[in-house]
Amino acid sequence: GNSVTQMEGPVTLSEEAFLTINCTYTATGYPSLFWYVQYPGEGLQLLLKATKADDKGSNKGFEATYRKETTSFHLEKGSVQVSDSAVYFCALSDSETGANNLFFGTGTRLTVIP
Amino acid sequence: DAGITQSPRHKVTETGTPVTLRCHQTENHRYMYWYRQDPGHGLRLIHYSYGVKDTDKGEVSDGYSVSRSKTEDFLLTLESATSSQTSVYFCAIRAGGNTGELFFGEGSRLTVL
């Protein structure tokens, strides 16, 4: 079946620090992989995606590479800002059923302090 | 902006009462979803719809029903709310294309006392 295992938080970093949030997955077939971000009081926003092995998704300084050999999709940013404080969710697309839904990790809360 | 509106945004109700949450979209997308978000669980799929009057169950469908009589509206009903259904509920749509991403509404926070 499909599942996503995500690094537990919370994560607290100083501004300009390097960020890594680990994400590994289990899936049959060839899912697409996603990172979503949720700011306080808001819904989830798509941060980046990758649709096949070795693809790199990137947006707003964040990057993640689809690694099929390690079934991973780790999120990285070289220099975080206070405005990056949010909850980050790793997700994969359902490639087994007709639902076309997403399976989510449990989320990682990031707090960036000045 | 994916044109998704959820209502109500906040609701407090008592155990045993019926509750209906509404999701409205303006862009005529075929697939719509209801998820619930709980600490330690991320988002879990309750029900989804793949067209008018076409719906199916998700991972955590017990205690919930849905209806879709128009393309633009997808309703989630709790027939008799329980405290375990206290949660934040998100509606999502699947936009066009094959890459599978979903776009989410702003959420409806439900508290069952």
Side-chain angles (χ1 to χ4, degrees):
Chain A
N2 295 309
S3 67
V4 176
T5 301
Q6 192 174 336
M7 171 179 169
E8 288 195 21
V11 174
T12 302
L13 295 173
S14 297
E15 206 166 20
E16 299 184 0
F18 184 86
L19 168 71
T20 299
I21 300 178
N22 290 337
C23 172
T24 58
Y25 67 90
T26 301
T28 57
Y30 303 96
S32 296
L33 301 174
F34 306 88
W35 277 100
Y36 280 82
V37 59
Q38 184 180 32
Y39 299 103
E42 299 184 9
L44 278 73
Q45 302 174 24
L46 179 65
L47 179 60
L48 54 84
K49 66 183 180 186
T51 58
K52 62 183 186 297
D54 300 324
D55 268 2
K56 177 186 284 188
S58 61
N59 186 24
K60 299 181 181 180
F62 291 90
E63 294 183 339
T65 301
Y66 189 162
R67 302 284 189 201
K68 195 168 188 296
E69 64 276 13
T70 55
T71 61
S72 65
F73 193 55
H74 305 322
L75 182 68
E76 295 182 337
K77 187 175 185 182
S79 176
V80 294
Q81 306 300 313
V82 172
S83 57
D84 294 327
S85 297
V87 181
Y88 293 82
F89 292 92
C90 184
L92 66 83
S93 62
D94 173 17
S95 56
E96 292 183 316
T97 72
N100 294 305
N101 64 302
L102 297 182
F103 290 89
F104 287 87
T106 54
T108 302
R109 181 177 299 278
L110 170 66
T111 301
V112 181
I113 55 177
Chain B
D1 183 2
I4 306 169
T5 305
Q6 291 186 228
S7 60
R9 295 290 313 281
H10 301 273
K11 185 171 183 66
V12 179
T13 191
E14 294 188 350
T15 297
T17 59
V19 176
T20 295
L21 306 179
R22 178 179 182 244
C23 178
H24 178 80
Q25 60 148 328
T26 60
E27 299 183 359
N28 210 35
H29 294 293
R30 180 181 170 198
Y31 282 85
M32 300 183 74
Y33 304 82
W34 277 108
Y35 286 84
R36 59 178 288 174
Q37 182 182 19
D38 303 291
H41 291 279
L43 278 78
R44 293 177 292 174
L45 182 66
I46 305 171
H47 282 278
Y48 70 98
S49 170
Y50 48 98
V52 173
K53 297 186 180 178
D54 291 324
T55 66
D56 207 346
K57 297 178 180 180
E59 178 187 358
V60 290
S61 59
D62 287 349
Y64 302 93
S65 62
V66 290
S67 64
R68 191 165 179 204
S69 58
K70 301 185 289 185
T71 299
E72 58 265 36
D73 288 327
F74 190 33
L75 304 182
L76 177 70
T77 297
L78 293 66
E79 300 290 349
S80 177
T82 66
S83 59
S84 64
Q85 294 176 310
T86 292
S87 186
V88 181
Y89 292 86
F90 286 97
C91 175
I93 61 170
R94 185 171 185 265
N98 296 324
T99 51
E101 65 261 38
L102 303 186
F103 295 90
F104 287 83
E106 294 187 338
S108 297
R109 181 175 294 276
L110 175 67
T111 301
V112 183
L113 301 176

